[in-house]
Amino acid sequence: MKTLVSFILGLLMLTSCNSQKAVAEKESVTTKEMTKQKKLPVLEYEALSRGYYRKITIENQQVTVISARNVKPVIFSISDEDWKELINLYTTVDKEGLADLESPTQKRFYDGAPIANFRVIEGDTIYESGAFDGGIPPQAIEKIVNKIIEIADKNLKSTK
């Protein structure tokens, strides 16, 4: 009887470990597939105030930056290294929970910071964060928002 119970417990432990390994492998495969396909939904960061406007759109490994109202957009390609990092950061974003994110600061209420939003657009579906202070995104999307801004700034400097 003890042998039977030990055998069953051992079998359950092996099965449990294998399923956890399978989940980890599946997540790794998903990231690899996105990298191979080089496909991401459209990512948008927009910040505005009375005298300031900036919109950064990332689509198909290209960035479109509009630095002011009624100004012609600047378009450039993203390096493969930045693209891979962006894909990895995107896999950590909970699209469904974007609307529920709370801003860590409230400077936008008295013009201390521009009002910013982050959007993920997949076909006809738009996932949008709540408003937050430009430059101070909620922690859950901080890395991807900062990477989007970094990519735009780096490429704008190289075009000047």
Side-chain angles (χ1 to χ4, degrees):
M1 184 70 174
K2 288 182 182 179
T3 309
L4 180 62
V5 170
S6 297
F7 177 73
I8 292 173
L9 286 175
L11 188 61
L12 287 173
M13 286 180 14
L14 284 173
T15 306
S16 168
C17 291
N18 284 338
S19 66
Q20 290 175 353
K21 186 177 177 183
V23 168
E25 288 175 0
K26 182 180 178 185
E27 289 174 357
S28 176
V29 167
T30 304
T31 303
K32 287 178 185 175
E33 286 174 1
M34 287 183 82
T35 304
K36 279 183 186 177
Q37 296 172 354
K38 295 188 176 187
K39 286 272 189 181
L40 272 179
V42 177
L43 304 177
E44 282 186 353
Y45 169 78
E46 185 175 35
L48 58 110
S49 67
R50 281 189 259 182
Y52 177 82
Y53 182 79
R54 185 172 199 196
K55 184 175 182 179
I56 305 168
T57 305
I58 296 181
E59 183 175 12
N60 297 329
Q61 205 166 348
Q62 282 197 325
V63 179
T64 304
V65 180
I66 302 173
S67 298
R69 291 177 178 91
N70 302 320
V71 172
K72 188 174 180 180
V74 177
I75 301 171
F76 48 84
S77 296
I78 301 174
S79 71
D80 290 337
E81 182 180 306
D82 284 339
W83 185 247
K84 287 177 186 174
E85 187 176 349
L86 205 55
I87 289 171
N88 288 332
L89 290 171
Y90 175 72
T91 60
T92 66
V93 173
D94 173 21
K95 299 176 295 196
E96 302 291 333
L98 280 178
D100 299 328
L101 295 177
E102 291 191 25
S103 177
T105 57
Q106 310 298 321
K107 294 179 181 180
R108 66 192 177 283
F109 293 140
Y110 57 85
D111 288 338
I115 300 167
N117 289 297
F118 174 69
R119 290 180 203 88
V120 175
I121 304 169
E122 289 183 339
D124 293 337
T125 307
I126 299 174
Y127 303 95
E128 185 170 2
S129 71
F132 57 89
D133 292 348
I136 311 171
Q139 189 174 10
I141 57 172
E142 180 177 20
K143 288 181 181 177
I144 194 165
V145 167
N146 288 340
K147 185 62 181 178
I148 290 169
I149 294 168
E150 175 191 319
I151 290 169
D153 289 345
K154 179 172 57 173
N155 287 291
L156 284 176
K157 287 179 185 175
S158 67
T159 59
K160 289 182 179 181

